[in-house]
Amino acid sequence: MQSVKLAASALAIAAVSASAAAARDNVQIAGSSTVLPYASIVAEAFGENFGFPTPVVESGGSSAGLKRFCEGVGENTIDIANASRAIREKEIAACADAGVTDIIEVRIGYDGIVFASQKTGPEFTAFEPADLYNALAEQVLVDGEMKPNPYNTWAEFNAELPDVEIAAFIPGTKHGTREVFEEKVLLQGCEDTGAMQAMIDGGMSEDDAEGACMAVRTDGKSVDIDGDYTETLARIDSNANGVGVFGLAFYENNTDKLKVATMSGVEPTTETIAEGEYPVSRPLFFYIKKAHIGVIPGLKEFAEFFVSDEIAGPSGPLANYGLVSDPELAATQAQVSEEETMGSNM
């Protein structure tokens, strides 16, 4: 593996403003728990194969990572934020307010959101979005009317599901996984059951109805998990009836403890996600602070290594851990090489 040496000259450092990052000897990364295992694998390989220290990778969730990323420019701020969703406009604005004006968005590939339960527990082998909506929504459609969620067991609204008490452990609101879960599962289920149309027919605006569709019950049947997937796994370990929401990679690394459900009849695999068959999938990203390139040793080299064919390609090690390679990976490689920032090609 060919190492690319960093040309960090006094001129390069002087080119960065006084508020920019001072030289630090390692790359610092934080954010999505979904991207965490991928970033950790790449960081370890980078440290072993390049003449730079191993990057420090922390978790905390997409929103938390982007918040830290947008705190400003300087050696006391992180260089990269991992995210299982795209950065939001309000986050871009917060970055700009703090002097982080040049951001490089890097799409590393795709991941699926899976629904898994205890290996020896009840048979949650098949779900539709409507099932998750009926189980977890704050209000559901009952006999043609919207009512506070009355369901205690899965079998009450779908006789093919286990007759056990509903116990779901879902990502907290700071996780990028939560946004995808809300939009691709709860919102879809709300539409499929007719609840969304019932709310609109009852006088709600479409925007308000969408918000109501994604509101989750607060009676203990649905529990937000603010930590990473290991916390969700621990909850399921202690509750035989529990169903958790995970990234595909985490599930594939814990098949000895978990069994996965299909969604709309499709099993989540690298192949079904790559082919667009599995309905609950999303792109994964990391964001680079351009002002730190050329100042923080190895930052650009790490980013280029991460999206290289041998790492993020279909035959790379990340594919073995559930990452679905981006069919436009070559364009991403060029974007990183050219340090193309968000909005620069518009």
Side-chain angles (χ1 to χ4, degrees), residues 23-301:
R24 184 182 350 106
D25 66 355
N26 63 349
V27 176
Q28 294 186 359
I29 306 163
S32 166
S33 58
T34 299
V35 181
L36 174 66
Y38 303 130
S40 298
I41 290 167
V42 179
E44 184 176 348
F46 183 75
E48 291 173 352
N49 291 281
F50 288 74
F52 301 104
T54 300
V56 175
V57 186
E58 300 176 64
S59 186
S62 300
S63 296
L66 286 164
K67 183 177 180 180
R68 289 181 60 186
F69 182 82
C70 291
E71 287 176 349
V73 176
E75 64 177 332
N76 62 335
T77 65
I78 63 172
D79 311 302
I80 291 176
N82 294 328
S84 56
R85 59 166 175 80
I87 190 172
R88 296 170 179 145
E89 288 297 326
K90 65 180 181 181
E91 290 166 332
I92 295 172
C95 270
D97 288 344
V100 184
T101 55
D102 292 319
I103 301 170
I104 302 171
E105 180 181 71
V106 183
R107 189 175 63 208
I108 65 169
Y110 293 82
D111 179 48
I113 296 174
V114 306
F115 301 84
S117 56
Q118 199 178 104
K119 191 85 170 179
T120 56
E123 292 298 314
F124 294 100
T125 55
F127 279 131
E128 296 289 341
D131 296 321
L132 276 302
Y133 174 76
N134 279 328
L136 307 180
E138 185 175 61
Q139 293 208 345
V140 295
L141 188 64
V142 180
D143 297 328
E145 296 182 12
M146 296 302 299
K147 297 181 179 179
N149 197 323
Y151 300 126
N152 293 305
T153 72
W154 298 88
E156 286 179 49
F157 53 82
N158 185 345
E160 296 182 2
L161 292 175
D163 190 13
V164 298
E165 187 158 350
I166 296 166
F169 304 103
I170 67 174
T173 53
K174 68 180 180 179
H175 289 283
T177 307
R178 174 61 171 261
E179 183 175 309
V180 181
F181 171 70
E182 289 174 341
E183 292 182 356
K184 294 202 170 187
V185 179
L186 292 181
L187 186 57
Q188 184 63 53
C190 186
E191 293 176 358
D192 293 347
T193 61
M196 184 172 180
Q197 189 59 52
M199 287 187 274
I200 293 173
D201 291 344
M204 292 182 73
S205 69
E206 186 170 335
D207 285 346
D208 287 343
E210 285 189 1
C213 283
M214 295 185 287
V216 175
R217 64 195 301 179
T218 57
D219 58 1
K221 300 275 189 302
S222 178
V223 178
D224 281 11
I225 302 297
D226 290 328
D228 59 23
Y229 293 135
T230 57
E231 183 179 343
T232 308
L233 180 61
R235 295 295 191 103
I236 290 176
D237 281 343
S238 63
N239 187 332
N241 296 331
V243 174
V245 180
F246 301 94
L248 177 65
F250 186 90
Y251 160 71
E252 290 189 334
N253 287 322
N254 290 276
T255 53
D256 58 327
K257 300 174 183 176
L258 297 169
K259 57 186 174 185
V260 72
T262 60
M263 178 60 70
S264 299
V266 181
E267 182 179 353
T269 66
T270 299
E271 292 73 23
T272 59
I273 293 170
E275 293 168 4
E277 295 177 8
Y278 186 67
V280 194
S281 61
R282 59 346 187 5
L284 303 178
F285 303 89
F286 65 81
Y287 292 87
I288 309 168
K289 205 170 287 181
K290 184 175 179 179
H292 287 200
I293 291 178
V295 179
I296 301 301
L299 176 56
K300 183 174 180 179
E301 289 81 355

